[in-house]
Each structure stands twice: as C-alpha cells, then as structure tokens.
Amino acid sequence: MGHAPTHRPADMTRPLDLRHERRTGPERVRRPIYVNHLPPCNQACPAGENIQAWLALVQDGDDEAAWRCLVQDNPMPAVHGRVCYHPCEDACNRQDLDASVTIHAVERHLGDLALEKGWRFDPPTETSGKRVLVVGGGPSGLSAAYHLARRGHTITILEAGPVAGGMMHFGIPAYRLPRDVLDAEIQRILDLDVTLRLNHTVTDLEAERVNGAFDAVFVAVGAHLSKRVDIPARDAAPMLDAVSFLKSVEVGEAPRLGRRVAVYGGGNTAMDAARVVRRLGHDPLIVYRRDRAHMPAHDFEAQEALDEGVQIHWLRAIKSMDQTTMTVEIMELDDRGRPRPTGETEVIEADDLILALGQDTDTNFLRSVPGVSFSRDGTVRVDERMMTGAPGVFAGGDMVPSERSVTIAVGHGKMAANCIDAWLRGGLYRKPPRNPGVDFAALKVPYYVETDPRAQPHLPRDEAVSGFGEVVGGLSAMEARYEAARCLSCGNCYECDGCQGACPENAIRKLGPGKGYRVDLELCTGCGVCHDQCPVHAIEMISEPLS
C-alpha cells in the first residue's frame, strides 16, 4: 500500500492561510509600494542640496521656486556654480548612459538669475532671543550665519580681513569667481540682519564671548598659513608662498617677478597661482613630485592650466635654487603611488619660485580655551555635533579634520547651524535617516534617448590670459531647462503614468499633479508589471502581509 504524498522542497505552492477571509481567484503573494530613494547626486553633495528636486523645478520652468528650493541648503548658488568641483556629477547615473547632467551649470544659472532679478531670502518667522558669535567670514562662517539667522538667532561675524569671503576672495582668482558675484551673494546673507565686523582679529575667544553676551560660538577660521619647505637658494630671489601671492595680486600689489616663474606643488592652488602668473605677463611652469594621475588638483584644473600655456614638469622635486635656474631631482612612483628619488637630476630655467604646498589654519587663539583639543596636524577636534570640548563652542570648515573645499565648508556651516540651533533650544540634533540609494542598474534606461550635455562657453586662450575676466560663461534659460530635463529622476517618481498604463487590472489610481499614485489593493493581483516597467525604480514589490 502506497504512502500519501509528502511536501517536496521543489513544490513552491504557498499553503492556504485560513486565518483571514478567503475569496475566489488567485492569491496575491506580493504587492507594489511607491518608495523614495536617495539620488546619487544628492548623496554626493557636501552641502546636502536636494539637487533632484530643484532640477525638476527648472525643468518645469519655475526657476524662482528652484532657486528657493536650492537655497534651503546652500545660500550661494552663483558662487558654487562656478567653484564647486561638482562631486554630484561624478556620481550622476546618467554618465553610464551618455554623460552626466551638468548640474553645476544649472546651479550657476539659478544663482545668476537670482542676482539679476533681485530675489531675496525669506526673513525669519520668529526671534529666538539667542546670540551667536561666528569667528571667520569665509564660506563656512557665512553658511552658518545664514542658517542660524533664518532660525531667528542674532548673528555677529568677526572677520580678521578687510572683506568677507575668506579664501573665496583671496584664494580663488577673479577669472574663476568674479568679485561682484561673490560680494552680491555675501550681501544677501548680511541682509538677514547679520552683523559683520571687519579687520577684527580674535585673540581671546572667551573674552569676546563674555563681552558680547553670546550664547554660542562657531569658529570657522580658514587655512591662510602656507606650508614651507627648506630649499637651498644661493643667490636666488626670495621665495613666495602661493596664498600671499594670490592675496597681493587681489589687492593690486603684485610682486615684481622675472620672466620665468616656477610654482612648486600639484594642488588647485598651484594651478591658480600659475594661471595668475600667466595673466601677469610671465612664463609659468609647475614642478610637482608625482604624476598627473596622483596630483591633488582636479584633472580639469590641470587641463585648463595646460590649455593656457602653463608648462608642468611631472615627477620632479626641487633640490636647490640659483639666480636663474633650479636643480630638480627626477622621481619615480612606488607600488603605492608614492614618489621616491632616482638620484638623477636636471636643471630648469626659473627666475622666481612660488610655493604651493598646502595651507594650515592659525588656531593658537583657541589653545587657551578650556576643553578644546587638537589633532596632530593642528586641526581642532569636534564631536558628532561639531562641538569642541568646550560647551557651546563649535568649529568647522578648514580648521577641523576634513577635505577642504568651498562646498565642504558650506556643508559644515549648515550642519553646525543645525547642531547649534538644537543646543540653544536645549535639544540634541540628530541627522534624519537617509533613504536607500539607487544605482544605474536599477533604472530602465531603454526608455531614454541619448542626449549631449549643454557645454558652457569658454573664452579663447589669448583673450582669457590677457586679463582677469571670467573665463567660463553660463547657460541660457533654454539651455538650463534642457540640461535639467536630462535628469533621470533616479529613485523617485516623476509621474510618467507608465505604471498606470501598464497595470492590466487598472489598480493604479493617480491622485493628481504632484500627489503621485495609490494602489487599489482590491484590484491588484501583485503581478509586478508596474514595478518592471518603472523607469526610475520608484516602485518596490514587498511580500504580502500574512494578516
């Protein structure tokens, strides 16, 4: 007599669940849900901008709404559209289809349009009665002042220099960042009743805090001290540091230089210094001890310098300097990309030398503040709230351990403002949880047509190096809208109606413009067609709950 059949592992039939009311027809084992993912551009932005959202508004033709969305996170889009190294574009999924969306160019368009139209920030809706001191009027300090002022706090900025802007003003040449653009965006922040005191060097932080009756302090001193290196120089002219050189040119006091000027370093400051030398009528050359693939400067910065006639001597280290020549040692890279000497030398003609080997911050005025501690490199240690060991004293920007860029500094200012605001109100700021990301493989790219990004116009070489006029132009309104339309809306529904059209049961209900869709579970069979066709992966299939 045979045995009754038993359940086999290969049998995938789901057993009936008799705990709830049963109906006739197939049993749904999964259901679709609409989800919001974190786009890779948003995830990569150091300033925390909601890039995908403001690109969508530009695409819709509402530029002012797009600008107001953008400045919720970053108060200086016209600046960032020019000087940010746009890591958002490096992360853009569109680059796997044709080319990344030129996000920085659209951001610049919005920033320039806001200045042209005179758009202003919304004033604060409340006054907290709290006073915050910001030490340093660079990008991080300005960002913190902006976000704190919009929360109703009274802000005073103390700036050691003659103008606000920090290294944006003295470290980034005007051919990259026109001063009228920078000054206008700074003034719009100050118009939020932010007090700015110039030529005010802080030497006793605690005295400033007590005398001004400040409830909290944010210290954001930039990296203005150039690093030095010992190079024997017999009868050569005195060596200059890149930061001092750029500052002197900015204030109209350019030093007297010989015909050939060498710049020692491979960072962005070295590229800027060499390009400024070129505009002053001299022949610049850069000496760097590694190769192009291992330089700290962004590759496009090096390319722009080369395009303007700057010579770059890779894998060279300066050993000594004479009146009109320098002796350099030829280097090679080890397996880890580190330079090592070969013992071979050569002579290069050069009349002057500018050192661009990095910068440090002057944090000595903090060493007397109880509780503040420092890292080996002299940067200030902060906790996850960006607070130092001294209660109520926060720090950010170049003076804390981090990469250094304008956008990172602005992001620090925003984060510090969130933490300071929470601390002043007796709470603790916690970052909101991030939605999951979405990569290129999750998208249905066959739905898209390949397009070319809108290129920004560049001045011809001879015209570019003849002065300090802006080298790169902006996009027209039509070009910006075209570029915004190239956004794939990765991970977030843009209401293309594809799910509604594909559903064989008419189970997808559209809720109205901007409101998305609802799944009618009385009709949905869980077939997953909506999920399979979604071009942006805004639908997930989840298991049907058992009860």
Side-chain angles (χ1 to χ4, degrees):
M1 185 173 179
H3 297 283
T6 59
H7 176 72
R8 297 186 302 275
D11 186 357
M12 302 302 291
T13 303
R14 181 176 176 178
L16 293 177
D17 182 1
L18 302 179
R19 291 176 297 176
H20 61 277
E21 180 184 354
R22 302 294 304 166
R23 294 185 175 88
T24 59
E27 181 184 17
R28 185 177 64 228
V29 297
R30 58 179 188 164
R31 64 171 62 174
I33 60 169
Y34 289 88
V35 294
N36 292 316
H37 289 91
L38 180 64
C41 54
N42 291 20
Q43 189 170 18
C45 178
E49 293 181 18
N50 190 350
I51 295 170
Q52 190 182 90
W54 58 255
L55 281 177
L57 290 167
V58 173
Q59 182 179 348
D60 291 341
D62 196 342
D63 286 341
E64 182 172 358
W67 177 79
R68 295 197 179 279
C69 175
L70 196 165
V71 298
Q72 290 293 320
D73 302 297
N74 179 359
M76 296 181 287
V79 169
H80 285 255
R82 289 169 166 84
V83 305
C84 179
Y85 298 116
H86 39 79
C88 53
E89 294 179 26
D90 294 333
C92 178
N93 279 331
R94 180 112 204 181
Q95 66 184 319
D96 292 320
L97 177 60
D98 40 38
S100 297
V101 178
T102 52
I103 298 167
H104 76 282
V106 184
E107 181 168 16
R108 169 178 167 166
H109 165 72
L110 292 176
D112 288 350
L113 187 62
L115 295 178
E116 177 189 335
K117 299 289 187 181
W119 295 337
R120 317 305 299 171
F121 296 136
D122 295 329
T125 57
E126 62 173 354
T127 300
S128 70
K130 301 293 185 180
R131 295 171 52 80
V132 181
L133 172 64
V134 175
V135 181
S140 196
L142 288 167
S143 174
Y146 163 77
H147 288 287
L148 287 166
R150 294 193 71 181
R151 287 170 169 82
H153 306 302
T154 301
I155 311 300
T156 297
I157 301 175
L158 300 182
E159 166 57 43
V163 294
M167 292 301 288
M168 293 188 296
H169 195 98
F170 292 110
I172 301 177
Y175 63 81
R176 287 179 56 203
L177 180 57
R179 296 303 180 249
D180 58 339
V181 172
L182 173 61
D183 293 343
E185 293 219 302
I186 292 174
Q187 186 59 51
R188 190 167 51 207
I189 295 173
L190 299 179
D191 288 344
L192 291 172
D193 287 333
V194 172
T195 299
L196 171 65
R197 295 179 186 169
L198 300 173
N199 300 306
H200 189 121
T201 301
V202 174
T203 57
D204 188 335
L205 184 63
E206 193 59 28
E208 298 279 5
R209 184 177 182 178
V210 171
N211 294 337
F214 293 107
D215 301 287
V217 178
F218 178 58
V219 186
V221 178
H224 294 260
L225 302 180
S226 292
K227 295 180 179 179
R228 307 289 296 183
V229 63
D230 291 328
I231 298 176
R234 289 182 284 275
D235 298 316
M239 300 175 197
L240 305 170
D241 69 82
V243 173
S244 297
F245 168 69
L246 292 172
K247 284 184 177 179
S248 66
V249 174
E250 174 66 22
V251 298
E253 299 175 356
R256 297 183 62 182
L257 300 171
R259 182 177 65 86
R260 288 178 59 83
V261 180
V263 178
Y264 195 20
N268 296 314
T269 301
M271 303 301 156
D272 280 335
R275 294 174 71 183
V276 168
V277 166
R278 184 80 168 86
R279 283 161 172 76
L280 294 176
H282 309 283
D283 294 332
L285 60 98
I286 291 174
V287 178
Y288 182 52
R289 60 197 182 100
R290 297 188 183 187
D291 61 5
R292 183 168 179 173
H294 293 86
M295 67 178 178
H298 294 84
D299 189 69
F300 73 87
E301 290 266 25
Q303 189 58 54
E304 289 178 356
L306 290 167
D307 291 343
E308 292 182 358
V310 176
Q311 296 182 34
I312 303 181
H313 296 261
W314 307 106
L315 293 169
R316 300 293 187 270
I318 301 177
K319 303 299 290 182
S320 63
M321 193 79 183
D322 212 329
Q323 278 188 319
T324 59
T325 62
M326 64 172 62
T327 301
V328 300
E329 184 169 15
I330 300 174
M331 311 296 281
E332 64 181 9
L333 300 181
D334 61 20
D335 295 339
R336 305 166 96 181
R338 295 176 178 175
R340 60 189 178 193
T342 64
E344 300 180 44
T345 61
E346 62 183 22
V347 176
I348 298 175
E349 290 186 14
D351 302 302
D352 293 281
L353 178 62
I354 297 174
L355 301 178
L357 303 173
Q359 294 94 245
D360 291 321
T361 56
D362 184 2
T363 55
N364 286 329
F365 70 97
L366 284 175
R367 295 189 179 273
S368 61
V369 179
V372 176
S373 61
F374 300 83
S375 303
R376 285 185 178 181
D377 61 0
T379 54
V380 177
R381 292 193 180 99
V382 293
D383 60 18
E384 67 279 1
R385 297 175 295 169
M386 303 195 74
M387 190 187 290
T388 68
V393 178
F394 299 76
D398 291 348
M399 63 185 303
V400 302
S402 173
E403 294 183 32
R404 291 173 175 175
S405 76
V406 171
T407 311
I408 288 174
V410 167
H412 282 187
K414 172 187 168 184
M415 178 64 181
N418 289 333
C419 296
I420 292 170
D421 178 67
W423 187 79
L424 290 173
R425 299 178 189 276
L428 178 63
Y429 177 75
R430 299 186 185 279
K431 287 184 178 181
R434 283 192 161 192
N435 293 341
V438 57
D439 59 16
F440 180 75
L443 307 179
K444 305 297 188 299
V445 292
Y447 287 87
Y448 295 96
V449 177
E450 291 192 13
T451 57
D452 295 323
R454 299 296 89 176
Q456 293 176 269
H458 283 64
L459 286 180
R461 170 176 161 174
D462 291 344
E463 187 176 349
V465 301
S466 65
F468 286 84
E470 188 168 18
V471 173
V472 180
L475 300 180
S476 68
M478 184 178 296
E479 289 171 329
R481 191 168 183 177
Y482 168 92
E483 197 58 35
R486 296 182 64 244
C487 174
L488 301 179
S489 193
C490 304
N492 293 285
C493 177
Y494 67 101
E495 299 182 2
C496 68
D497 293 343
C499 54
Q500 189 178 36
C503 180
E505 305 297 334
N506 293 321
I508 307 295
R509 300 282 185 260
K510 190 167 187 176
L511 302 178
K515 298 180 181 179
Y517 305 86
R518 176 179 62 83
V519 178
D520 187 342
L521 295 176
E522 291 295 323
L523 299 176
C524 176
T525 63
C527 69
V529 171
C530 56
H531 165 271
D532 295 340
Q533 67 76 45
C534 181
V536 299
H537 195 73
I539 300 175
E540 296 278 13
M541 299 299 296
I542 63 171
S543 298
E544 186 70 19
L546 294 177
S547 58

